Amino acid sequence: MKSPVQLYLRVRLPDGSYPYLRAAFAANGRLRPHHAIHSGRATEFPGASYHLRYRIGEKRVWEPVGKDPILALTRVQQKVRDLQHVNDDGDDIVPQVVADAAARTSLTAEQPKPPLLLNEAIKEYLAEVKTHRSAKTFAAYRTTLFLFSPDAAKEAAKDTQVKIAGHKRKESTAKITRQFVNKPLADITRKDMLDYVEFLKKVQGSVPRTVRNRVDFFQIFLHHYGLPSLLIGKDLPQYTEKKVRAYNPSQLAKLFAEATQDEADLLHFFLCTGAREQEAQFVCWTDVDLELKTYTVTEHLDLGYQPKDKEEGSLPIPDVLVRVLKARRERYPQTRLIFPGKGGKPNGHALRVIKRLALRAGVNCGQCRNKAGKSCATHPVCRQFVLHKLRKTFATTLHHKGLPAQTLQRYLRHSDLDTTLKYIADADDATIRKTINSTFQGFESYAGGTR
């Protein structure tokens, strides 16, 4: 059913015109920020403003909602709810919408509308995120909001009688506890946000990228309730964009040399499929066809798994992985999952496996320290060894061997090519030198000139 509210961008075209263009969405249904449909294709219009289009009776209405794409989507949802206040018998929508607007803007003293308090909003929002988003996303928002309001975390722990992330140990609770009054959500200020940033940096010891992520998550929470971003421009925490790095052949050789058979199987799967952590955690034998040599990312609702962006996808797998998986099937003929944990349940400890392997293989950098002060020279805490780097190694290796970026985008199941390009690391200097020499080898006969 077509939504009664449509989202548009108002853009400035090269011919000087200033039209409304329909906002562009990716194939997975996500809004493409600042993209609109122009001449039949999605085109980026940086800085363009979003507008809602809907009807009240016979009148078409254009309503500006700002430049923030997340806030624009939130306003679409709010407007749809407003317009759904139509009588079942088909009465004109105008009186109802006007009445709703009046009810929101002119509350009497006898019937005041109580303000939504921060902790109530957090509880309500997390319940919704837990229902509709992945467990990993829920954990990220929960930690962000509980760090902002420790009282909300205590209330949640009391309600559920479970230990909350960031509050598992008494000593860590003492470190993170900060005073924050449970004020109305709409009364949170820019200063509150700046204080939160300072807390994350100085008390939590969070790295710049983590601080920025926490701020972004909190502001998305505000947008959910129709509130604007409190930190914009120079107020936003800055971080250094890390250069994409893939594992080099020397590192991989040392990892495989030290790996047990099960660890080597897991490494091969990540490197040969570019799988995400949860995809490897929930991959079943029915997801691979060892005769056709394909792997399909598949939904397994009974295991509590849905692919990212609710999108399945297939890709060919190399002969080496086929041989590895056939040998593994002979060792584990009864399991449903390819990499099961204890009791045949999904194994969520792949990162721990890789970090422990890196320590045994002697490839840790020796410079990393975690928050407990442990050094990666003697503990499995090196930040150089993460699962996502294996996905980037997969992408980089295939692209440098000639696979087109558009095909790689499909294999990685990305909604846009820009994301895929971020996964491709530069070639090393030796490879670049070899390419340069072979490219210009034919010029050697001209080195002495022609006269």
Side-chain angles (χ1 to χ4, degrees):
M1 181 178 177
K2 187 177 179 181
S3 172
V5 182
Q6 301 296 318
L7 186 61
Y8 284 77
L9 277 174
R10 193 164 195 192
V11 306
R12 174 74 71 181
L13 296 180
D15 62 5
S17 60
Y18 197 37
Y20 293 98
L21 300 180
R22 191 181 296 273
F25 290 79
N28 58 17
R30 286 191 171 185
L31 178 67
R32 297 188 63 181
H34 302 294
H35 282 71
I37 303 301
H38 179 52
S39 299
R41 59 181 296 178
T43 305
E44 186 174 14
F45 294 96
S49 296
Y50 285 97
H51 289 70
L52 307 184
R53 191 187 80 174
Y54 54 90
R55 286 185 178 275
I56 297 181
E58 296 299 320
K59 182 180 179 182
R60 177 183 291 176
V61 178
W62 292 96
E63 179 181 335
V65 290
K67 298 182 180 181
D68 189 320
I70 298 176
L71 184 55
L73 283 177
T74 301
R75 296 294 296 276
V76 169
Q77 296 168 356
Q78 292 173 336
K79 184 57 64 176
V80 168
R81 288 195 291 268
D82 286 346
L83 296 181
Q84 284 174 344
H85 287 291
V86 185
N87 293 334
D88 292 336
D89 58 4
D91 287 351
D92 194 351
I93 196 173
V94 177
Q96 185 66 51
V97 172
V98 172
D100 290 343
R104 289 195 299 271
T105 57
S106 59
L107 296 172
T108 64
E110 291 74 24
Q111 294 181 326
K113 184 178 180 180
L116 179 63
L117 297 178
L118 171 63
N119 290 349
E120 295 171 359
I122 288 176
K123 183 177 180 180
E124 177 183 272
Y125 181 71
L126 289 180
E128 183 172 329
V129 172
K130 188 174 184 178
T131 301
H132 298 290
R133 306 295 293 276
S134 69
K136 200 169 185 179
T137 300
F138 169 69
Y141 279 99
R142 181 182 63 181
T143 302
T144 295
L145 297 173
F146 284 177
L147 286 173
F148 190 93
S149 177
D151 285 344
K154 293 174 184 176
E155 289 178 15
K158 191 182 302 181
D159 289 342
T160 60
Q161 296 183 347
V162 296
K163 295 179 179 179
I164 301 301
H167 296 260
K168 291 181 180 178
R169 299 174 301 174
K170 290 182 179 179
E171 63 269 26
S172 65
T173 302
K175 290 179 182 177
I176 71 166
T177 298
R178 71 192 194 104
Q179 298 299 317
F180 191 82
V181 177
N182 185 23
K183 63 170 68 174
L185 182 63
D187 290 349
I188 294 176
T189 65
R190 169 178 173 272
K191 184 179 184 305
D192 292 330
M193 288 297 295
L194 292 175
D195 289 344
Y196 180 50
V197 170
E198 198 71 4
F199 163 77
L200 292 173
K201 290 178 180 178
K202 294 188 176 179
V203 180
Q204 282 293 108
S206 300
V207 298
R209 181 59 189 260
T210 300
V211 174
R212 176 59 178 270
N213 287 344
R214 299 273 185 244
V215 168
D216 288 345
F217 289 151
F218 193 87
Q219 299 206 132
I220 290 172
F221 161 69
L222 294 177
H223 299 164
H224 179 79
Y225 290 99
L227 299 172
S229 297
L230 296 173
L231 298 186
I232 58 175
K234 293 183 179 179
D235 279 345
L236 286 169
Q238 302 300 308
Y239 62 91
T240 301
E241 194 71 48
K242 299 294 184 181
K243 181 181 178 181
V244 175
R245 288 184 173 87
Y247 292 113
N248 62 53
S250 174
Q251 290 173 317
L252 293 176
K254 290 177 181 178
L255 289 174
F256 277 111
E258 186 63 31
T260 65
Q261 186 62 62
D262 285 346
E263 289 170 340
D265 291 353
L266 186 63
L267 270 178
H268 270 113
F269 186 79
F270 277 118
L271 288 168
C272 295
T273 65
R276 298 180 174 98
E277 180 178 1
Q278 277 204 325
E279 291 168 357
Q281 181 181 347
F282 289 95
V283 62
C284 296
W285 286 106
T286 53
D287 299 337
V288 294
D289 188 323
L290 299 181
E291 297 304 319
L292 295 179
K293 302 178 182 180
T294 61
Y295 159 56
T296 302
V297 178
T298 308
E299 181 177 74
H300 296 291
L301 293 179
D302 61 313
L303 296 175
Y305 171 67
Q306 287 183 304
K308 187 174 182 181
D309 298 332
K310 312 298 185 292
E311 185 176 354
E312 296 184 346
S314 297
L315 70 154
I317 55 177
D319 292 344
V320 61
L321 182 58
V322 172
R323 290 193 294 270
V324 166
L325 292 178
K326 284 183 176 180
R328 184 173 181 83
R329 191 53 167 164
E330 291 180 3
R331 299 200 311 276
Y332 302 101
Q334 303 300 324
T335 63
R336 177 188 178 186
L337 294 164
I338 296 180
F339 303 104
K342 291 182 179 180
K345 296 180 179 180
N347 186 351
H349 301 300
L351 178 59
R352 184 185 302 173
V353 170
I354 298 300
K355 285 188 177 291
R356 288 176 175 175
L357 175 58
L359 178 63
R360 297 201 317 270
V363 291
N364 282 0
C365 69
Q367 305 300 314
C368 300
R369 287 186 180 276
N370 65 6
K371 291 184 179 180
K374 293 180 179 179
S375 168
C376 73
T378 53
H379 293 82
V381 296
C382 188
R383 290 190 291 272
Q384 301 299 318
F385 289 87
V386 293
L387 293 175
H388 217 64
K389 199 169 177 179
L390 292 168
R391 185 167 162 85
K392 292 179 178 179
T393 303
F394 165 82
T396 298
T397 302
L398 282 179
H399 189 64
H400 288 172
K401 291 295 184 180
L403 189 74
Q406 290 83 352
T407 304
L408 190 57
Q409 176 189 348
R410 177 163 58 87
Y411 288 174
L412 292 172
R413 296 169 302 287
H414 287 154
S415 59
D416 61 83
L417 187 59
D418 287 344
T419 302
T420 301
L421 295 177
K422 293 177 181 178
Y423 276 67
I424 301 171
D426 289 338
D428 58 76
D429 290 345
T431 301
I432 293 174
R433 175 57 55 194
K434 184 177 179 180
T435 301
I436 291 174
N437 285 338
S438 62
T439 300
F440 295 100
Q441 189 174 9
F443 290 9
E444 188 172 356
S445 59
Y446 303 120
T450 57
R451 295 190 180 185

